[in-house]
């Protein structure tokens, strides 16, 4: 069956961020729709943000293109250009290697949702714009460190 | 600006299919949103189908994952499993190499739209399920042939 049965897609909550940043992700959930449909080359996730929740820490990817379409409610895109309100049908693109950290924050009083597509690559480094942290990923796993590569302490160095 | 300005995205119509199949694509248009946002690793296109229009000839990809979300109206997904009605928010996934040819047909009396994501790869072969045709793509261009590789004549051999 090519159509995705949402009733069988697990709702993922929580965060892989190290403390104290994991707590910042309260109110965010996601459905891994592409995985549910057997896709491997890109992620296709439906992200659900309760009022006040954010999609991620503000970040950019070295190697992976990212595309977003708002599907419910209103979100605020925050990047180096400032705040941009986005509503249903609005789209945004974040080319790999463009060092403009971005995230989406639900500043409304109702649930918001968006579809996000991101390429999968064997390795990747993601940089967090507002704190002294980066993530390195490879086929064995991932590691958060300070931007100089030393173990992440939970505070900017 | 990461948000995509739809007013600057060209509306693409027409078809690259050889006659007589090009005429089958009447009533279909698309906006190449990912290209407009500077993405290169996957296509992210908004497809607009007038009543009676179809998204493509029924096909499958050897190398490229494909993902669809309906964003307006109602479309009928047609693949080897038959007909599946899909409406706003419904999604479908077509993993690379799964030989289940698919397309979307607007069998309603109102405009329908969907977002389609497809990986970009240096080479690709696409197979058309209902006719004796395939497409081979490489960095230099593309060619339609019969499934045995001979030049496409416009009729099944």
């Amino acid at each position: 069956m090519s159509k995705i049965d949402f009733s069988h897609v697990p709702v993922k909550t929580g965060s892989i961020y190290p403390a104290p940043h994991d707590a910042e992700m309260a109110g965010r959930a996601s459905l891994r729709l592409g995985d549910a449909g057997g896709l491997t080359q890109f992620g296709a996730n439906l992200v659900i943000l309760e009022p006040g929740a954010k999609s991620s820490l503000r970040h950019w990817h070295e190697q992976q293109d990212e595309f977003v379409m708002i599907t419910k409610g209103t979100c605020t895109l925050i990047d180096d250009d400032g705040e941009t309100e986005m509503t249903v049908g609005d789209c945004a693109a974040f080319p790999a290697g463009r060092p403009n950290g971005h995230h989406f924050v639900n500043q409304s009083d109702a649930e918001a949702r968006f579809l996000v597509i991101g390429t999968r690559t064997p390795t990747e480094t993601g940089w967090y714009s507002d704190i002294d942290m980066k993530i390195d990923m490879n086929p064995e796993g991932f590691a958060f460190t300070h931007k100089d590569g030393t173990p992440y302490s939970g505070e900017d160095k």
Side-chain angles (χ1 to χ4, degrees), chain A residues 31-84:
Chain A
L31 280 72
R32 299 193 166 190
L33 300 176
D35 288 354
L39 304 187
T40 58
Q41 299 171 353
F42 52 80
N45 300 329
L46 185 69
V47 176
I48 303 169
L49 298 181
E50 297 301 322
K54 63 183 74 167
S55 59
S56 64
L57 299 175
R58 200 161 75 87
H59 71 285
W60 61 276
H61 294 282
E62 284 193 0
Q63 297 184 50
Q64 298 175 344
D65 278 357
E66 192 178 346
F67 180 88
V68 165
M69 174 183 269
I70 309 298
T71 62
K72 183 179 182 183
T74 302
C75 282
T76 304
L77 163 62
I78 301 176
D79 65 7
D80 289 348
D81 298 320
E83 298 196 359
T84 306

Side-chain angles (χ1 to χ4, degrees), chain A residues 7 11 13 15 20 24 32 50 97 107 115 117-118 134 142 146 150-151 153:
Chain A
S7 71
V11 178
T13 57
S15 170
E24 295 184 55
R32 299 193 166 190
E50 297 301 322
Q107 296 181 337
L115 179 71
I117 311 296
K134 69 181 175 82
F142 63 88
H146 286 289
T150 58
S153 65

Side-chain angles (χ1 to χ4, degrees), chain A residues 119-134:
Chain A
T119 315
R120 290 195 172 138
T121 51
T123 61
E124 172 62 319
T125 298
W127 296 84
Y128 297 92
S129 306
D130 300 322
I131 58 174
D132 179 17
M133 189 173 86
K134 69 181 175 82

